[in-house]
Amino acid sequence: MADTSKTATLTFDNTSMELPILSPTAGPDVIDIRKLYGQGDVFTYDPGFTSTAACESTITFIDGEKGELLHRGYPIDQLASKSHYLEVCYLLLYGELPSAEQLEHFEFTITHHTMLHEQMQYFFRGFRRDAHPMAVMVGVVGAMAAFYHDSTDISDPRQREIASHRLIAKMPTIAAWAYKYSIGQPFVYPRNDLTYAENFLHMCFAVPAAEYKVDPILSRAMDRIFTLHADHEQNASTSTVRLASSSGANPFACIAAGIACLWGPAHGGANQACLEMLKEIGSPENIPEYIARAKDKEDPFRLMGFGHRVYKNFDPRATVMKQSADEVLDLLGVENNPILATAKELETQALADPYFAEKKLFPNVDFYSGIILEAMGFPTSMFTPIFALSRTVGWVSQWKEQLADPTMRIGRPRQLYTGAPYRDYVEVENR
Ligand code: SDX
């Protein structure tokens, strides 16, 4: 629990009040305004939550100035190079790195929850083949509530844990089947002899007609991409999951809401939008035109994969992703990838431009991820589903944390009303 020894004095009109200041482990102090409306009959106003802490959390911390991302205190660059995704899942869910025995049991549990109820295949078949895989994921994950009644009693910690395991385990199967359905290939079932990342690649790229060996370089890169996207404080989709969960909605409905929010191009949809932008730019000589457009207030165009609400320095995930892009493309023999060349030159020119430097706009996690995913053989439409798959552990960890908080109440923001004042109805003949 945060330290509450300090207070802030708020004075307005003929009112003055002392508001507690809560001091965190790391990051800015917060002014506790929970009693503000009751004592002062005023609201605060912060539509984009730029200055608002919506909850207390122990899971992830971002230092935007330093460009630092910690999961339960461990820096992302160390986790990306020394750990692996399921171990990071354990860390996010339970708060500590697992012992060898705990890790083995957790991996066994996740591995043995990867299958979907056979009848769920009919949900996929109800979509058009050209449906965006994110539309399929929203629908199928929401429909899990209809199949897993036993883990929708959110008051039971064990059932919350089972729901968390089911969601982490089944998301790769759902994402892979959405992809298979979109290309008209048969679903490939998960296998218990493969790792989490190997299983996903196998379900995406294997076909019944031939043996598919997962390339260890690709599975390592895939696992690292999962880790880099696992959790990120109270971003838009995580906040959506928390708000949905505050009403007591079942976990599958809450995660489906998070997937829907992530889809937007300002959030998780940026990886698809970024690669499409790089392809539209085409080659380094066209970069100045696009940078000029990004700076033009009259032009809605933005450099996708650049900027961040919190990072005012490099997104540490982008740094790791850039290294991984070089490795994967070299190892795949994708020499002189024009898109990677354009991305690197765009980054160089943008970071040298005063507009981006002054506004502290740096490449974010979405800038390089699409280049790797495309080199691995994924269509752009699968980029955000892979982000959603990776972020599921963050969503369920934050969901579990909120439900375990005895002070949790339904989220119900107020507003600054500037609409019409009270007025009586006017019959149509008198208008
Ligand atoms: C993710 O929150 C998270 O943690 C998200 C995420 C996660 O892991 O969950 O990190 C994942 O969503 C990463 C961000 C992916 N989105 C994009 O790459 C889309 C492009 N970026 C932007 O749309 C924007 O930077 C946001 C949405 C990421 C942040 O928006 P903010 O914080 O609301 O910033 P803003 O829109 O108020 O911009 C501040 C200024 C504006 O100029 P002024 O009005 O002050 O003159 O910077 C400009 C903007 O016009 N600006 C950009 C820009 N991003 C901001 N100008 C050109 N290109 C950009 N990309």
Side-chain angles (χ1 to χ4, degrees), residues 290-304:
Y290 283 84
I291 287 185
R293 284 186 57 196
K295 293 159 61 176
D296 177 358
K297 286 289 158 234
E298 302 308 310
D299 188 332
F301 173 79
R302 287 192 165 185
L303 288 185
M304 303 315 283

Side-chain angles (χ1 to χ4, degrees), residues 48 50 62 69 228-238 262 264-271 273-274 277 290-291 293-297 299-312 315 317 355-356 359-367 387 391 395:
T50 308
I62 301 170
L69 167 59
L228 292 173
H229 289 83
D231 190 48
H232 214 237
E233 285 192 3
Q234 306 311 317
N235 58 84
S237 53
T238 297
L262 185 77
H267 190 14
N271 51 20
C274 180
M277 173 193 75
Y290 283 84
I291 287 185
R293 284 186 57 196
K295 293 159 61 176
D296 177 358
K297 286 289 158 234
D299 188 332
F301 173 79
R302 287 192 165 185
L303 288 185
M304 303 315 283
F306 263 79
H308 199 277
R309 172 61 59 77
V310 176
Y311 288 120
K312 300 311 169 193
D315 179 338
R317 302 167 299 174
Y355 175 90
F356 294 90
K359 293 181 185 298
K360 298 180 186 280
L361 300 174
F362 294 89
N364 58 49
V365 68
D366 295 303
F367 189 66
F387 192 154
R391 183 55 56 89
W395 291 330

Side-chain angles (χ1 to χ4, degrees), residues 21 54 135 254:
I21 290 180
C254 295

